[in-house]
Amino acid sequence: MIVIRNEGPAGGPGMREMLSTTAALSGQGMGKKVALITDGRFSGATRGFCVGHVGPEAAHCGPIALLQNGDMITIDAIKGDINVALSDDELAERKANWKGPRETIYASGALWKYAQLVGATYKGAVTHPGAEAERHVYMDI
């Protein structure tokens, strides 16, 4: 199992494509032996057993941020479940000791602003509050 974190909308920033990683695994003959979990994204060309768009992402202290080498992760593709063999107490302790999102080279500018404002992947990774909070829709004007 390979875990690549800090590639989500805020952590990347911008959800980088994981194709080069899956292609490298496949090229080494490991595509059917090694799974990849990431808060990044995949394209239609991705190969192998991959779980992407994991959220909450690592930059927001989602469970993917708390994983460590040696943790036992189970993926059940039939049920759509992914679990780590850690107690709630262990996860809470790791979260309490989390040092915050990794520092990026983006301290200003559009990518910095995007990382500060972007929402969850499952909500479209957009920088506005969503339809429920909108007072009007621009195309209705």
Side-chain angles (χ1 to χ4, degrees), residues 42 55 80 87 97 107 110 127:
F42 297 109
S87 69
N97 294 324
T127 58

Side-chain angles (χ1 to χ4, degrees), residues 18 46 50 61 65 79 86 97 105 111 115 126 135 137 139:
M18 297 287 117
T46 297
C50 302
C61 196
K79 291 181 182 176
L86 296 171
N97 294 324
I105 61 171
L111 284 176
V126 295
R135 293 195 218 193
V137 177
M139 55 191 226

